[in-house]
Amino acid sequence: MNSSRIKKNLHIPNVAIIGLGLIGCSWVKALKLAGCAGSISGFDRNLDSMQQALQVGLIEDYSLDITDVVRDADFIIISVPILAVGDVLEQIKDSLTDTVILTDVGSVKGNVSKDVSKILGEKFDRFVLGHPIAGSELSGVSAADENLFKHHKIILTPEQRTCERALDLVTDAWELTGGVVELMSVQHHDEVLAATSHLPHLLAYSLVDTLANSHENKDIFNYAAGGFRDFTRIASSSPIMWRDIFVGNKDEVLKALDLFTADLQQLREVVANEDKTQMMGTFTRAKAARDHFTKILARRAYVESMTSQTVNYIAKPGGKLSGEFRVPGDKSISHRSIMLGSLAEGTTEVTGFLEGEDSLATLQSFRDMGVVIEGPHRGRVTVHGVGLHGLKMPPNALYLGNSGTSMRLLSGLMAAQKFDVEMTGDESLSKRPMSRVADPLRKMGAVIESADNGRPPLRIKGGQPLKGIHYELPMASAQVKSCLLLAGLYAEGETTVIEPAPTRDHTERMLKGFGYPVEVDGPKVTVRPGGKLTATKIDVPSDISSAAFFMVAATIAKDSDITLQHVGINPTRIGVINILRLMGANIEMLNEREVGGEPVADLRIRSAQLKGIQIPEDQVPLAIDEFPSIFIAASCAEGTTVLTGAEELRVKESDRIQAMVDGLQILGVDAQGTEDGAIIKGFGSEGFFNGGEVDSVDDHRIAMSFTIASLRANASIVVKDCANVATSFPGFVELASGCGIQVSVEK
Ligand code: S3P
């Protein structure tokens, strides 16, 4: 809803409330406290309720004759059990003024819509069907709570006939009591509510009834503090109200119930057969879904206003870094561990998995495709592989959030499956180019539809036979390379990808680790179909891309000395170390070793005065994700740093050249963007960043880069919109502040 439209001074002279239950009473109480309602008249079948409402000041008057209550009303709220709405309308239809607006609050909309048509006429345009998604197992006047709707969704289901004036008034009346109005069709509302509200109530009633009738019922209720209590709270709800809901929404409830009954029957078999893997499948999927939901709820409860969910970082100037610590697991390797673990035969154990939103998006996608995945729990994930041909059609579109790697790598895999798939993402991912994967996949025989300009969502048609391809990559991209190699596992003949410059080779290494033959010959990588992946153990090293922020931080902050443990130093990823060393950084690689096919070391970094350089172009693909932090290093250097050959930076999670140059200029740095890079004049050993407010443009790496700039700033730096740091670096603020960066979060 457009809040600018809200009449802040809404005043409805005469309100009539029919049915003095929890929802109706709470709404009029809130309207009254918000100063929106003049006089409120009430009607209820129950005289006691009317007297009580009058006594507590909820209504100004009542009548035993319902028509008295509505005759002068400007706004009528019908808050009676669903099946009684028709009766109420019959009784009041001849007493309505020509301008009165009506609404209801019931949990089913289809049958109320029919009642309105039948009794008030097909064209009656002043009845707005509504349903607040709020309530409790309590009922009656005494339970009225003016805060019941605060931050709760209020669904309105206007129909074609509904007039704008009526919709506006009902919207305002809800929003002014703290509700968040959403519009939906009647049919969709009834479908959604059948699953999310009606079915759970039916199950709660049924379970309590079953257990109460059993022989051991005394014991059950004696020991009912745990699961029983949590699961059955809603069985105390009003039986009449729920009887009506099940009659009113019979068809949709039966559909949801049938689906559930089939799944429950299956779960029965699984328990009877002690099928532990399937149990883990159901339970881990359910837990992930429920945890996700809990987080959404927590976030909603945490913030005062639904519009203020932004996370800003405030970084105070100065500080030095010290300590020995480990940054989270490598994002690229984490993605691949789930993908290849899922396609393998057997159970793959992953440790050090990055519990960031991007890799979790990949994990969830494979769960959606039927793979049983346990965890993550402190970086441990167990993937019960289904083999190359064992994925199942997901029930919905795969939602990949902010993660380009998930979408691009999955494209190759999905193009080879028997089922159709749609892949979507957040606002940033929806703007990123996907033709780079779709075009070569189409050459292999894939059928892929995209939005305009090859952007997501992607719709990939299943059951298409793929042919191998010999493809020269037009850009240095590990994502495109990996996508084609994954498609190549299923394609007829040989798939060869030729890179214009070396890019990260985690896919090739990990395929080999899973026992799948991959031929690497200089820039050429070849796979053939017919092999299989065998489950293995994967120890994910710390992400050099996350370590980069601390490498730069410890370099630019005077008197710093840190050691970053267990960092992946794959030669295709160490561009940042090479570039910083060329600029004069003091980075030592200690204790070099190999874990699971990937080289790893501890990195000791001490402060150093940097000098500006021309960044060698051959290092660009090897440092592609680290340029935002390298730009911060360049700003502190003595002399000018010039970056060329990095046009790919313009199509990352944001246009990183623009985002960094804009922010640097705000902080007083002489920085200029070019088509394929940037020119940054460093302020040298005596200089500083100015304080200021910079925009991360929702890009995690931009956010973290400007945060570390504070170490060499002369005033605080506020970095806006940092929520996406969670995509790659959960716990960044805690780790950063633990080692000496003075950053805090403002929500
Ligand atoms: C990635 C490859 C790189 C990198 C991205 C992760 C990967 O993208 O920027 O963060 O895991 O394969 P491109 O291959 O598009 O350069």
Side-chain angles (χ1 to χ4, degrees), residues 331-332 335-336 405 408-409 432 436 476-480 482 503-504 506 624-625 648 652-653 656 701:
K331 184 151 76 78
S332 294
H335 282 299
R336 287 155 172 86
T405 309
R408 297 212 177 104
L409 269 60
R432 297 185 66 187
R436 54 180 61 200
S477 168
Q479 294 182 346
V480 182
S482 303
T503 66
R504 65 193 68 191
H506 304 302
I624 195 68
D625 289 339
E648 276 295 301
K652 291 292 175 189
E653 284 84 328
R656 286 185 171 157
R701 300 203 197 281

Side-chain angles (χ1 to χ4, degrees), residues 8 21 24 143 163 265 349 357 456 466 484 624 728 745:
K8 292 277 183 277
C163 75
Q265 188 56 37
E349 300 283 351
E357 286 172 8
L466 300 185
L484 300 180
I624 195 68
S728 69
V745 177

